Amino acid sequence: MHYRVLGATGIEVSTYALGTMMFGKIGNPDHADGERIIHAALDAGINFVDTADMYSSGESEEIVGKALKGRRDDIVLATKVHFSLDDQRNHGGNSRRYIVRAVEDSLRRLRTDWIDLYQIHRPDPKTDIEETLGVLTDLVHAGKIRSFGCSTFPAEEIVEAWHVAERRGLMKFRTEQPPYSVLARGIERSVLPTARRLNMGVLTWSPLAWGFLSGKFRRGREVDYSSGRASLAAERFDPALPANAAKYDAVEKLAELADELGCTLPQLATAFPLAHPAVTSVIIGPRTMEQLQASLAGMDVVLDDATLDRIDAIVPPGRELVWEDGGWKPPALSDVAMRRRALADRPAAAEEPAETESE
């Protein structure tokens, strides 16, 4: 296992982070099996575990908490807050009111006194960023969290948060957690360069591009829509849809490249984010022990410049084939009212100039 310093925190973390989204009812419901997978990852040298309160409505955090008993001091533990776990008003978002409650719930489920990295899972247009940074700073001072970061934030919101923190004397986001893969390279345009300039740690998620680089989805193979990612969003995988043609073309070329390198397609995909100078760790999210072992088997896969050049030729830098919105659609695009003036405020068609009599 290799290790890197997480941005400006001074904390050394493994270049593979164990993601636990698939532990619990939405993935592997067997708590004992989840604990065994976590122990195997730690035994392999992984010291960075990432979860979130919304993964299986807190069940993932409970599994992680049980698994880390007796090993907590050696593990860098990260979790997230933002999404609501129920349908009650004010149970979600990035407000002080909600975060103060949510962090206590996470601490209880994780069976720990502190969280090493507490992340804001998504932006919240309803809450001033100063409000969010203020409560996170207070939580650091209270000893409940050690540092904090953001997840799937666009570059402009990262920069705004940085400047607000400097002006108000608040602590800064130290990390960003974006989606990044061979098929989803949009963050190379601004998010990764911004994070690097601000000396932020970056832990990337979905290296298998929402399962598209798992090896299961190839041209000529029938897609199983009854389970897995395809059951959640069939439109992303249907080979009959023109929008997916570029993905299937890229997968075939990448699979050929992986064969030439003597590794699997998932191993090639997982190695790719770690080649970027801004990336600290890549999150692997196994559901089974077999998936974990397959990921760990690719730890020593290193992509040289010639290989990265070939990947660039298949999927050009900055190209986005999976996440059109980078994993988060801002209200400026999703809210019609923010894109259209009220009808009464729209300028009327210019009237024809009045004719004047010629002299």
Side-chain angles (χ1 to χ4, degrees), residues 20-57:
T20 63
M21 187 179 76
M22 301 308 296
F23 295 165
K25 62 186 178 184
I26 69 166
N28 184 345
D30 187 333
H31 285 212
D33 194 36
E35 291 180 55
R36 285 191 291 269
I37 293 170
I38 293 172
H39 290 158
L42 303 186
D43 292 341
I46 290 178
N47 76 336
F48 198 7
V49 178
D50 178 77
T51 186
D53 59 0
M54 60 87 65
Y55 293 166
S56 293
S57 300

Side-chain angles (χ1 to χ4, degrees), residues 297-334:
M299 281 194 302
D300 293 327
V301 175
V302 177
L303 308 181
D304 60 21
D305 287 346
T307 301
L308 292 172
D309 287 343
R310 292 180 64 181
I311 291 176
D312 287 349
I314 297 171
V315 182
R319 183 83 181 274
E320 191 66 56
L321 296 179
V322 176
W323 302 100
E324 292 182 1
D325 50 19
W328 179 73
K329 182 173 288 188
L333 297 181
S334 58

Side-chain angles (χ1 to χ4, degrees), residues 9 24 28 63 73 75 102 139 148 175 189 191 271 291 323:
T9 66
N28 184 345
I63 295 170
D73 287 345
I75 303 304
L139 291 175
F148 55 84
T175 63
R189 295 178 178 273
V191 171
Q291 290 175 351
W323 302 100

Side-chain angles (χ1 to χ4, degrees), residues 261-296:
L261 295 175
C263 66
T264 66
L265 179 59
Q267 289 170 354
L268 170 70
T270 303
F272 173 76
L274 291 173
H276 197 288
V279 174
T280 310
S281 298
V282 60
I283 298 173
I284 57 172
R287 180 176 53 83
T288 65
M289 185 68 77
E290 291 73 23
Q291 290 175 351
L292 172 67
Q293 297 299 342
S295 294
L296 294 176

